[in-house]
Amino acid sequence: MRTKYPSLITRRDSVGTSLEKRTIWAVKISKNPDIDENEPRPLYTALHHAREPESMMQLIYFMWYLLENYGTDEEVTGLVDHREIY
C-alpha cells in the first residue's frame, strides 16, 4: 500500500508487543500521513481470534477502499482529510 500510495499511508511501524511478545504493527492513513496533526484518531483493529481471518481481510479491504477512492469519492476524501486513521 505504501508503495502505491506513499502520500496517504505510512510505513508499518511497531507500536509495541503483545503479552506473548509478538510485535503489534500499525499504519496511519491520512492526507499527511508522516505528520502528526490535531485531528481525530480512530483506531481499527482486527484478527482478535486466531480462527477468524475474515476480520483481518475486512480491515485490509477497507484500507484499500480508502486509498483507492481518495480524491474521487467525497465521503472517503472527507474521512482521510479530517482524520488520522490507524
Side-chain angles (χ1 to χ4, degrees), residues 28 35-44 82-86:
K28 177 173 75 170
I35 299 171
D36 284 330
E37 298 178 288
N38 188 20
E39 296 177 333
R41 296 178 176 162
L43 170 66
Y44 291 88
H82 302 290
R83 286 165 182 68
E84 293 184 338
I85 303 168
Y86 289 88

Side-chain angles (χ1 to χ4, degrees), residues 73-85:
D73 181 291
E74 185 178 322
E75 187 172 5
V76 169
T77 302
L79 287 171
V80 174
D81 281 351
H82 302 290
R83 286 165 182 68
E84 293 184 338
I85 303 168

